[in-house]
Amino acid sequence: MPALIVLGAQWGDEGKGRVVDLLAAEAQVVARYQGGHNAGHTVVVGERTLKLHQIPSGITRPGVLCVIGNGTVLEPLALVQEMDEVAGLGFDLEALRISRAAQLILPYHQALDQAQEAGRGAAAIGTTGRGIGPAYTDKAARSGLRAEELLNFDRFAARFRQAAAAKNEVLTRVYGQPALDIEAMLAQLQPAAARLAPHVADTSLLVHRALAQGQRVLFEGAQGTLLDIDHGTYPFVTSSNPTAGGACVGVGVAPRAINGVLGVVKAYTTRVGAGPFPSERCDEVGEHLVQMGAEFGTTTGRRRRCGWLDTVIVRYAARLSGFSGLAVTKLDVLSGLPALRICTGYRCGGAVSEDWVPVGYALDDCEPVYEDLPGWSESLRDVRRWEDLPPAARRYVERLEALAGVPVDLISVGPEREQLIVRRNPWDVMRET
Ligand code: IMP
């Protein structure tokens, strides 16, 4: 029963969507385990470009069961809109399933997220403003509404009215915002609930049965390791656990069911939102990465902060999630940079650390330590075999492998499905273990 987790090793936007899209060709189930419509996964299928936010990237593969797991937070109105867009591009949504236990993001969560961010002033986190934090707050406070409530709209409406009235108190009294119109929100939510209700299911059981039948299940992480609420650059993090442990909790499977964990690493580093970023470059190198890598957010359109590859981060991510392999994305973006650098450690005070510095703010006082490597000028976009990469590109990937202590299985050299170098098929590797 092969179960493979795919997750981001950095601050998100590593290109997980295209990796999941690829691996889903050999899977029967793809399950999202955390996050909500803060995520943005771009998948290019021929002429069609999908911008997925809540729907698992496996939706591009007919017949694959796509699960929105209990660990996610689900915005019903946005999901219906996304379903319409995906259906409009000709993809089938028959196999979409939503966990009964997935928490709902409701309009007041979004209003609260934006009010809270404004209230943080200079200490703002730079959230996507989608209501993620407030929805997970309600989950932890045991006051959230879950997807199962959509099956009985009268009961949903009663609970919603009560919850929304309480949130209106906070919005008006604490944040000085106008109260939200509760009945208008309900009128919007009713058709969405009717549309989503047929997709609500006991998804933990579905995944369990698939595994018991020997089917291949892919667990799709959103965001990335350093946005993990426990292990990331707190408080500049999201409100869930993208690390591998989150997959078991967020779909409802046992740790022993997992056979492999693929870490997705962009060939350089990016981050959106505020918070520490030791290898950030705000010069012509950063500009090259933004322009050549089209580093603008899928969800918010924000320009991403860019910098050199940081292997301290990748090693840390490998330790937390137990990577069995890596997928390196966007190697092609580095073409044309005459010299490359890889961050191998941090100088904090007098001492150099090759381990992650766990206290977020302490990172501000750390200097990155770099290893210099030669660049290459050739375009990689048509390369399909490892041996056809320029020697400098191979050396770069081999240094990443050595410094991370994890083999590189896949290398992407462009957004199209076929712009890929496969060194080991992650599904085959799992079969051997
Ligand atoms: P939130 O998840 O909207 O609360 O935002 C918290 C932090 O996570 C902010 O820095 C966001 O920019 C970041 N973030 C959330 N989702 C993503 C994502 O899908 N990719 C990259 N960063 C993200």
Side-chain angles (χ1 to χ4, degrees):
M1 43 178 199
L4 175 64
I5 301 172
V6 177
L7 66 95
Q10 295 152 314
W11 275 288
D13 307 318
E14 296 91 353
K16 297 176 289 294
R18 66 110 66 224
V19 174
V20 171
D21 168 62
L22 173 90
L23 295 171
E26 295 182 65
Q28 285 75 48
V29 182
V30 178
R32 268 279 303 271
Y33 58 86
Q34 44 72 231
H37 65 321
N38 51 347
H41 292 167
T42 306
V43 183
V44 179
V45 184
E47 300 292 296
R48 298 174 290 181
T49 299
L50 278 102
K51 305 266 186 201
L52 297 171
H53 299 286
Q54 305 188 86
I55 298 175
S57 305
I59 204 71
T60 56
R61 305 287 183 178
V64 169
L65 183 74
C66 286
V67 168
I68 300 181
N70 59 275
T72 66
V73 280
L74 177 81
E75 211 283 58
L77 303 172
L79 179 57
V80 167
Q81 193 186 338
E82 188 177 335
M83 287 166 70
D84 287 342
E85 284 166 14
V86 168
L89 287 169
F91 296 99
D92 187 19
L93 291 159
E94 186 57 34
L96 181 67
R97 295 288 177 279
I98 299 166
S99 166
R100 299 178 67 99
Q103 294 282 326
L104 298 179
I105 302 179
L106 294 161
Y108 47 74
H109 290 128
Q110 186 146 332
L112 278 170
D113 191 3
Q114 290 167 11
Q116 286 168 357
E117 271 290 87
R120 288 184 187 113
I125 294 166
T127 72
T128 58
R130 299 288 157 103
I132 305 298
Y136 277 113
T137 301
D138 277 356
K139 175 181 182 175
R142 295 159 294 183
S143 54
L145 276 75
R146 311 203 300 181
E148 62 193 350
E149 308 274 0
L150 300 173
L151 301 175
N152 179 339
F153 197 76
D154 287 342
R155 201 177 58 189
F156 172 86
R159 292 207 54 207
F160 179 83
R161 284 193 182 95
Q162 197 179 22
K167 300 299 183 199
N168 268 344
E169 290 289 302
V170 178
L171 279 168
T172 53
R173 288 173 188 243
V174 178
Y175 295 106
Q177 297 289 321
L180 300 173
D181 183 336
I182 296 176
E183 295 309 315
M185 289 189 284
L186 269 175
Q188 271 194 309
L189 286 163
Q190 186 156 23
R195 179 88 184 277
L196 297 181
H199 295 275
V200 176
D202 181 348
T203 51
S204 165
L205 184 61
L206 293 178
V207 173
H208 173 81
R209 284 189 178 144
L211 287 168
Q213 289 168 15
Q215 296 186 357
R216 288 179 172 178
V217 179
L218 205 54
F219 297 81
E220 179 179 15
Q223 290 82 50
T225 299
L226 288 184
L227 290 172
D228 186 286
I229 189 164
D230 288 280
H231 303 289
T233 44
Y234 192 91
F236 303 101
V237 293
T238 192
S239 299
S240 59
N241 293 107
T243 45
C248 295
V249 178
V251 174
V253 296
R256 286 178 61 188
I258 306 298
N259 304 103
V261 185
L262 186 70
V264 185
V265 180
K266 201 180 280 188
Y268 46 98
T269 313
T270 64
R271 134 164 246 181
V272 266
F277 181 173
S279 66
E280 182 172 14
R281 292 292 300 253
C282 302
D283 55 6
E284 69 282 0
V285 171
E287 191 57 30
H288 172 105
L289 298 172
V290 170
Q291 298 307 333
M292 303 309 289
E295 294 295 352
F296 297 92
T298 310
T299 299
T300 58
R302 287 181 289 177
R303 182 187 160 105
R304 296 180 185 137
R305 299 158 65 192
C306 291
W308 296 121
L309 177 65
D310 184 338
T311 54
V312 179
I313 287 175
V314 183
R315 253 195 321 275
Y316 176 57
R319 164 158 71 82
L320 290 171
S321 291
F323 293 156
S324 43
L326 294 177
V328 177
T329 59
K330 291 190 153 182
L331 188 64
D332 53 298
V333 171
L334 298 180
S335 291
L337 284 170
L340 300 172
R341 309 193 95 182
I342 293 182
C343 173
T344 57
Y346 305 137
R347 187 170 289 105
C348 308
V352 171
S353 168
E354 290 178 356
D355 290 316
W356 176 247
V357 181
V359 185
Y361 290 110
L363 270 178
D364 293 341
D365 304 322
C366 293
E367 280 281 303
V369 177
Y370 288 112
E371 186 173 305
D372 292 306
L373 286 104
W376 60 89
S377 55
E378 302 91 319
S379 166
L380 307 185
R381 294 213 149 194
D382 295 324
V383 178
R384 300 289 176 268
R385 298 186 318 167
W386 169 252
E387 21 330 339
D388 295 337
L389 281 172
R394 287 206 301 266
R395 188 165 157 207
Y396 186 81
V397 173
E398 282 167 350
R399 277 311 284 153
L400 164 59
E401 261 179 336
L403 289 161
V406 184
V408 170
D409 294 344
L410 305 171
I411 301 167
S412 82
V413 289
E416 309 288 338
R417 268 184 177 164
E418 62 277 9
Q419 288 179 306
L420 189 80
I421 297 166
V422 181
R423 295 175 82 201
R424 305 192 307 173
N425 181 333
W427 290 118
D428 292 343
V429 178
M430 287 207 309
R431 252 185 261 138
E432 287 163 14
T433 53

